[in-house]
Amino acid sequence: MNENLVFDPEMSCDTETIDYKSELNEAQYEAVTTTEGPSLVVAGAGSGKTRTLVYRVAYLVQHGVEPESILLLTFTRKAAAEMLRRASELVGPGCSHVSGGTFHALAHELLRVWAKRLGYPLDFGIIDRGDMEELLGTLRKQAGLADKDKRFPRRGTLAGIISKASNKVMDISELLAREYVHLLRYAEEIKILARDYTIYKQESGLFDLDDLLLRFYELLNKDPEAREKIASRYQYIMIDEFQDTNLIQAEIVHLLGRDHKNVMAVGDEAQSIYSFRGANFKNIMEFPKRFPGTKIIKLEENYRSRQPILSLTNHIISRALEKYEKKLYTRRAGGDIPRIIPLSTEKQQSLFVCNKVRELVDSGVEPNRIAVLFRASRHSFGLEVELLRHDIDFVKYGGRRFLEKAHIKDLLALLRVVNTPSDRVSLARVLLQLDGIGSKTGAKIVDWVEGKRARLVKLAEYPGTARVQKSLAGLGALLNVIGARGFDLQERISQAWNFYRPVMENKFSDDYPDRIYDVEEFLRLAEGYRSLTRLLADMALEPPDASVSRSGSEHAGHRLVLSTIHSAKGLEWHTVFILWATEGRFPPPYARRTPEEVEEERRLMYVAATRAKENLFFLCPMEADSEGSEFFSLRLSPFIADIPPGLAAMGPEREEIKSREINFRGPPAVPPPGGFTLNDRVEHRVFGLGRVTRFISEDKIQVAFDHFGIKTLQVNYAGLKRV
């Protein structure tokens, strides 16, 4: 394995003795020393799962197992790198010869060697979810499906359906019947789009992220010689976060380990929260059936939270319908019991957080050790406004991803064309940035190029108008220079940025200075690479975390953390606030269609609560806001409504939610202009759909538009309509 999997061939192994019994608790020691045959480590939140995996790698290597025969699969490359680094510190740097990385990275690396056996080129390109959506949008438009019926699903929904059907190995009609009943009448049209999408990728030499796993599974399942050679290479397999695997990943594990059966799956069914990505809760529950004779080991001692927090979280998950019985405990006795805070309004919820954060910071708690978690990204909008008014800096994780921003995708498209000339999607995107080239002309140019590098560098020869030829001449000259073999990667990126910068300034004239910060962050990330192929693969396989700072501070380490719960998994904080712990918001109405969905929402609440080390607050506004009270019952979330009095305190302490509107730092509030309220969804005749984010004066309003960013509008003239 090489560039996408984690190892360093310059390192060698050591045999320093480790007293495993004294370094590990009893359950961890059992997991580390159980090396032969299948095992399932059910690792409760904060129970030292990573430590267990690190010591098991060290134990195997120290007891004579060749590092190259060990495979450690994780869900981030960073996690694998950190585990192998720690293992190397224990028994010597030779542990870095262990193959560690993600399922996608493993598939990508092996398909670069074996893809021809399946009839695919070895130099295939990779498209991310955003590219997938754009391509489906184009195919949808070409088929005229949106013109015939305005209710036909949009490109994002189409991508979700096709991806989920792929991950779940399910026919599209069956998936629609289960999860998208309202779209079932479009089943045949969606199937045709899925077929056209597949053909387009094949003709362009492209794989999407789902293809990587599917083609790798196909290789292992249909090519006995390939499976035997690959599987024999890895005699000891460990999989972290097994509860997050999808059906294809579970099948891959089985095909790799079915001969020797030395497979250890590590995970926690109580933290299975990614079904929307195709994760299958049943994988961890049925692992013992897939590998008969599995030894089940439970890690129940928690090293993160105080016991009062664990007692409450144990209660929350005890109501789960299907689970491995376990009860977390800790030696960290004492501490305050968690608190459930019923509040009248969202405004009071925001004020409570602001006041409590100030109190914690004044007592010496660093802001970055405090987190506010929420079920959906939009649930924090009201709080974000209040934090600004109180001059509290924050960083937000979740919601829109860094690489989904249009200007970053534009720059990446340029680099993808250099790397994979047959990438029609990226070339079309690049062409649309040029003066005088629209979608029809762009499509003709893409057809003329035919995926040939020789045509790319001679774009000026395209038989178009003088204006088009002038635009193409500049692009062709750029591709000729940065596409040259042996050209330095950093210089390639620099020249691509120099070419794109004036395009971006013209395209996003209202807020291009803010977008430059994003590009500078991308340039910083790219500094660690020497290979364009690897850079583009990593950006697609494992994009950087999304983060937004509302104040523009450069000191992320000192900011309050706002995060969706899905983005917070695996992390921990001194104090955690859970917003909108009310029925109708958590769980939301759309997540209550089946018992399985409700159970996942329960696990999501459990994940949120187990992030807290010292303090835990559930905030429960009892008035619905502009999302419509008809959809929301004004009651506590059912996941905390039955908590016994001894496990949680009800209500705020005295003075905690009094408004500081007189004393806060910032301008006084102004009456809502135009009859709009904060977070209202609105529509503009030019900018389309957006959300009200700020009131500036009696006649000015700030709206964050879905596709045009933040705009300041005069409500008397803007023609805004509430949606």
Side-chain angles (χ1 to χ4, degrees):
M1 310 301 291
N2 49 38
E3 59 183 21
N4 271 333
L5 296 185
V6 181
F7 73 98
D8 186 347
E10 296 179 359
M11 293 181 166
S12 60
C13 210
D14 196 349
T15 57
E16 183 179 336
T17 301
I18 301 171
D19 186 353
Y20 290 93
K21 277 196 172 182
S22 65
E23 294 290 329
L24 304 165
N25 65 37
E26 187 176 340
Q28 290 172 339
Y29 178 78
E30 184 180 11
V32 165
T33 57
T34 300
T35 59
E36 305 305 309
S39 57
L40 173 62
V41 178
V42 181
S47 63
K49 160 180 74 70
T50 300
R51 182 179 182 84
T52 302
L53 282 167
V54 167
Y55 273 79
R56 190 169 193 267
V57 170
Y59 186 87
L60 288 169
V61 172
Q62 194 174 52
H63 286 75
V65 175
E66 291 293 329
E68 293 85 356
S69 70
I70 302 171
L71 175 63
L72 173 62
L73 290 171
T74 65
F75 275 80
T76 67
R77 222 165 55 88
K78 182 179 178 182
E82 176 62 15
M83 288 184 197
L84 298 185
R85 183 192 66 78
R86 288 170 58 181
S88 295
E89 289 179 352
L90 293 174
V91 294
C95 288
S96 299
H97 287 283
V98 171
S99 294
T102 66
F103 278 93
H104 287 92
L106 177 68
H108 171 258
E109 201 65 35
L110 289 169
L111 287 171
R112 289 291 183 194
V113 177
W114 294 91
K116 281 188 176 180
R117 298 284 283 259
L118 299 172
Y120 296 96
L122 296 181
D123 63 344
F124 57 84
I126 304 174
I127 60 175
D128 61 18
R129 179 58 176 263
D131 297 323
M132 179 184 184
E133 291 184 10
E134 287 191 20
L135 178 50
L136 285 169
T138 300
L139 295 173
R140 172 179 175 265
K141 185 176 181 180
Q142 289 176 354
L145 293 171
D147 298 332
K148 297 177 184 177
D149 188 343
K150 298 299 182 184
R151 296 183 180 181
F152 190 81
R154 297 183 178 183
R155 62 187 189 181
T157 304
L158 288 169
I161 292 170
I162 293 171
S163 179
K164 192 173 286 189
S166 175
N167 282 315
K168 294 190 173 186
V169 195
M170 189 180 295
D171 181 78
I172 285 177
S173 293
E174 183 183 355
L175 178 68
L176 294 176
R178 289 189 182 188
E179 301 185 28
Y180 303 86
V181 178
H182 60 296
L183 299 177
L184 192 55
R185 57 178 169 160
Y186 301 118
E188 292 308 313
E189 290 91 339
I190 295 173
K191 286 181 181 179
I192 292 171
L193 272 179
R195 181 202 63 195
D196 293 346
Y197 170 64
T198 299
I199 293 172
Y200 190 102
K201 287 185 296 179
Q202 290 173 342
E203 292 177 346
S204 303
L206 298 174
F207 281 1
D208 63 25
L209 300 183
D210 300 321
D211 291 328
L212 288 174
L213 297 183
L214 282 170
R215 300 290 81 81
F216 184 42
Y217 166 70
E218 183 182 348
L219 177 70
L220 296 175
N221 192 45
K222 295 184 178 180
D223 190 327
E225 181 186 356
R227 188 200 72 82
E228 186 176 347
K229 285 187 176 181
I230 294 170
S232 63
R233 185 174 181 175
Y234 305 114
Q235 292 298 304
Y236 293 86
I237 301 173
M238 288 171 278
I239 311 98
D240 190 17
E241 305 286 11
F242 195 74
Q243 77 280 350
D244 295 334
T245 55
N246 62 35
L247 183 58
I248 292 294
Q249 289 166 328
E251 290 288 348
I252 288 171
V253 169
H254 184 246
L255 287 167
L256 289 175
R258 74 182 186 193
D259 296 335
H260 55 70
K261 298 182 176 58
N262 296 327
V263 178
M264 173 177 278
V266 181
D268 183 7
E269 89 292 344
Q271 298 186 70
S272 178
I273 59 173
Y274 294 115
S275 66
F276 67 94
R277 296 181 187 169
N280 192 332
F281 173 76
K282 295 293 185 183
N283 284 349
I284 192 168
M285 302 307 296
E286 296 178 355
F287 182 85
K289 295 180 182 178
R290 191 180 290 271
F291 288 96
T294 291
K295 183 176 186 178
I296 299 177
I297 304 166
K298 299 177 183 178
L299 304 185
E300 298 175 286
E301 182 173 357
N302 179 282
Y303 295 91
R304 174 188 299 158
S305 306
R306 296 282 185 186
Q307 188 59 51
I309 293 173
L310 296 180
S311 296
L312 181 141
T313 56
N314 283 336
H315 177 83
I316 290 174
I317 205 62
S318 70
R319 299 297 195 262
L321 299 179
E322 190 174 3
K323 59 186 179 295
Y324 287 105
E325 293 291 344
K326 60 183 179 297
K327 192 171 184 179
L328 297 184
Y329 67 93
T330 182
R331 300 177 193 183
R332 300 186 67 229
D336 295 333
I337 63 174
R339 287 166 55 195
I340 298 171
I341 316 290
L343 299 156
S344 296
T345 64
E346 181 180 22
K347 172 82 168 179
Q348 283 196 341
Q349 172 178 253
S350 300
L351 287 170
F352 179 89
V353 173
C354 291
N355 296 343
K356 199 67 181 175
V357 167
R358 287 280 187 212
E359 177 186 317
L360 288 164
V361 171
D362 289 345
S363 71
V365 180
E366 290 290 329
N368 64 328
R369 296 177 63 206
I370 306 169
V372 183
L373 307 182
F374 30 86
R375 172 63 181 81
S377 183
R378 65 182 181 277
H379 289 172
S380 70
F381 290 161
L383 173 62
E384 292 171 43
V385 172
E386 207 62 46
L387 289 170
L388 283 172
R389 296 173 67 210
H390 283 73
D391 196 27
I392 297 175
D393 195 12
F394 65 91
V395 61
K396 181 177 179 181
Y397 296 92
R400 196 179 184 194
R401 290 180 178 272
F402 174 70
L403 292 184
E404 289 174 355
K405 297 180 178 181
H407 47 297
I408 300 298
K409 289 184 69 66
D410 287 347
L411 186 55
L412 275 172
L414 261 174
L415 298 173
R416 284 175 175 154
V417 169
V418 173
N419 198 59
T420 310
S422 60
D423 186 345
R424 298 169 62 93
V425 177
S426 294
L427 179 57
R429 185 181 187 97
V430 170
L431 292 171
L432 288 175
Q433 300 168 24
L434 304 182
D435 184 40
I437 298 179
S439 56
K440 290 184 178 179
T441 301
K444 291 178 181 177
I445 297 170
V446 170
D447 289 339
W448 180 81
V449 169
E450 294 182 331
K452 299 176 181 177
R453 192 177 298 275
R455 286 280 179 94
L456 283 176
V457 300
K458 296 180 180 179
L459 281 172
E461 297 178 5
Y462 174 75
T465 64
R467 182 183 180 190
V468 169
Q469 286 182 331
K470 182 180 178 181
S471 293
L472 291 176
L475 176 61
L478 172 74
L479 296 176
N480 186 37
V481 173
I482 67 176
R485 182 167 299 189
F487 202 69
D488 179 73
L489 174 60
Q490 301 308 319
E491 185 62 25
R492 278 179 171 170
I493 295 172
S494 176
Q495 293 209 25
W497 169 224
N498 291 338
F499 176 86
Y500 175 66
R501 181 165 184 159
V503 175
M504 187 188 78
E505 291 179 358
N506 181 60
K507 184 177 179 180
F508 305 105
S509 58
D510 56 337
D511 63 351
Y512 77 85
D514 292 336
R515 295 175 186 264
I516 287 177
Y517 289 116
D518 291 330
V519 176
E520 289 176 346
E521 175 65 12
F522 170 73
L523 297 178
R524 185 190 66 77
L525 290 170
E527 287 176 358
Y529 290 84
R530 289 177 294 177
S531 162
L532 180 57
T533 298
R534 179 168 181 179
L535 169 65
L536 296 175
D538 280 3
M539 292 298 105
L541 297 176
E542 196 171 338
D545 290 337
S547 64
V548 179
S549 170
R550 298 301 187 186
S551 73
S553 168
E554 296 180 358
H555 305 291
H558 299 291
R559 304 176 196 159
L560 172 70
V561 175
L562 274 58
S563 177
T564 60
I565 300 168
H566 287 100
S567 296
K569 185 171 172 292
L571 304 176
E572 59 185 42
W573 292 272
H574 176 281
T575 298
V576 168
F577 301 89
I578 300 175
L579 297 187
W580 284 108
T582 52
E583 186 170 4
R585 292 295 179 85
F586 201 159
Y590 61 80
R592 303 193 66 176
R593 293 168 296 189
T594 66
E596 291 78 14
E597 288 178 333
V598 175
E599 286 299 286
E600 179 151 330
E601 292 295 312
R602 181 186 303 281
R603 297 193 294 269
L604 197 60
M605 181 69 83
Y606 174 79
V607 167
T610 52
R611 302 308 96 196
K613 298 172 70 175
E614 304 289 339
N615 303 312
L616 175 61
F617 299 91
F618 298 88
L619 304 183
C620 314
M622 308 309 282
E623 279 184 19
D625 65 2
S626 59
E627 291 192 48
S629 59
E630 66 271 24
F631 296 110
F632 299 98
S633 301
L634 305 182
R635 298 193 296 253
L636 296 181
S637 167
F639 308 133
I640 61 172
D642 65 347
I643 291 176
L647 296 185
M650 183 70 71
E653 293 178 357
R654 193 161 53 92
E655 305 296 323
E656 276 187 328
I657 62 170
K658 282 191 174 180
S659 171
R660 294 187 180 181
E661 290 190 273
I662 296 175
N663 299 319
F664 70 73
R665 306 174 189 178
V670 295
F676 296 106
T677 58
L678 196 66
N679 293 332
D680 270 357
R681 286 288 282 174
V682 294
E683 185 174 18
H684 186 273
R685 62 183 180 276
V686 175
F687 302 131
L689 293 173
R691 186 180 296 277
V692 176
T693 57
R694 185 182 175 194
F695 302 133
I696 297 175
S697 67
E698 292 184 1
D699 59 353
K700 282 187 179 180
I701 195 171
Q702 191 176 79
V703 178
F705 288 100
D706 295 353
H707 300 291
F708 288 89
I710 296 175
K711 305 287 183 183
T712 299
L713 304 172
Q714 292 272 354
V715 292
N716 295 330
Y717 305 103
L720 281 179
K721 296 180 181 179
R722 184 180 287 105
V723 179

